[in-house]
Amino acid sequence: MKPINFLNVKFSALLILLICSSGTSFAAGKIGFVDMEALINNSPQIREAQSSITKEFEIQYSDIEQKESDLKLLEDRITKDGAIMSLSELSQLQERARILDRQVRRAKEDLKDAISIRNNQVLNTIQKDLNEIVTQYAKDNEYDAILINAILYVSEEMDITQEILQLLKDKVNEN
């Protein structure tokens, strides 16, 4: 059996004490939590952006609705009068219906893509603003760290989501 080296024991004890005390100083820091999904879903900036995007694509949506209405009328005519039409007239109407149906599907897909691209652009801009607001809030209120979404549990005292949401609302009211 080896003799115990008391110098190593003292050094080890000192090292453990330092580690524990440094851990304590880290634990004493001020930490907050922000539910970014809740901010994005409830911020007035997102609501304004959604309203703006809806207005931006209103004309395209109306065009699609008109084409769908035209297609419905054409299909109803084929169903109602198809039996008494000549074969060539029926074929022409069916071909027009197929073309119009393709146009409607293509227009819907194009509109969906355009809205998706626009939503992403607006969301990126708003997320940058949210990050800046959260960062400024953290600095103003002397937080050492702000955690977001990937948290299993957070106490209500640490959750500053509502305070940030209020700042967002105040910012909209200022403009």
Side-chain angles (χ1 to χ4, degrees):
M1 192 166 164
K2 276 170 104 179
I4 297 175
N5 185 340
F6 286 101
L7 186 58
N8 283 342
V9 171
K10 286 181 182 179
F11 179 73
S12 296
L14 182 61
L15 186 60
I16 289 171
L17 184 62
L18 286 173
I19 289 172
C20 289
S21 67
S22 68
T24 304
S25 68
F26 286 125
K30 190 172 178 182
I31 298 173
F33 168 78
V34 175
D35 184 347
M36 291 300 274
E37 187 175 329
L39 285 184
I40 289 171
N41 290 336
N42 297 309
S43 75
Q45 289 83 349
I46 289 290
R47 289 189 187 120
E48 280 182 14
Q50 288 171 336
S51 176
S52 173
I53 289 171
T54 300
K55 289 176 186 172
E56 186 177 329
F57 291 101
E58 202 170 85
I59 293 171
Q60 291 93 323
Y61 186 73
S62 293
D63 289 344
I64 290 171
E65 284 182 327
Q66 182 59 50
K67 286 180 181 179
E68 285 178 322
S69 177
D70 293 346
L71 178 61
K72 175 85 170 104
L73 290 173
L74 195 55
E75 288 172 339
D76 288 349
R77 183 169 174 220
I78 290 169
T79 302
K80 182 180 173 189
D81 299 335
I84 58 173
M85 288 182 191
S86 70
L87 197 52
S88 67
E89 186 180 5
L90 180 60
S91 291
Q92 285 178 338
L93 285 179
Q94 288 173 333
E95 182 61 23
R96 281 181 36 205
R98 277 192 295 276
I99 291 169
L100 193 53
D101 182 56
R102 269 187 262 138
Q103 288 174 347
V104 167
R105 281 187 278 128
R106 191 174 304 129
K108 281 182 177 180
E109 194 64 36
D110 290 346
L111 181 59
K112 180 181 163 189
D113 290 344
I115 289 173
S116 178
I117 289 168
R118 189 70 178 109
N119 276 336
N120 288 336
Q121 290 170 340
V122 168
L123 186 59
N124 286 338
T125 300
I126 291 173
Q127 280 181 323
K128 286 178 185 174
D129 290 344
L130 289 176
N131 288 339
E132 289 174 9
I133 288 170
V134 170
T135 300
Q136 191 58 51
Y137 180 88
K139 289 177 182 177
D140 292 346
N141 292 282
E142 299 177 353
Y143 279 87
D144 295 313
I146 300 293
L147 308 173
I148 60 172
N149 297 358
I151 305 296
L152 179 64
Y153 170 79
V154 66
S155 69
E156 288 183 27
E157 294 84 32
M158 286 182 66
D159 191 349
I160 59 171
T161 304
Q162 292 306 313
E163 289 91 343
I164 301 295
L165 191 55
Q166 187 59 50
L167 288 174
L168 293 170
K169 289 176 182 176
D170 292 345
K171 186 175 179 180
V172 165
N173 291 335
E174 289 174 3
N175 296 336

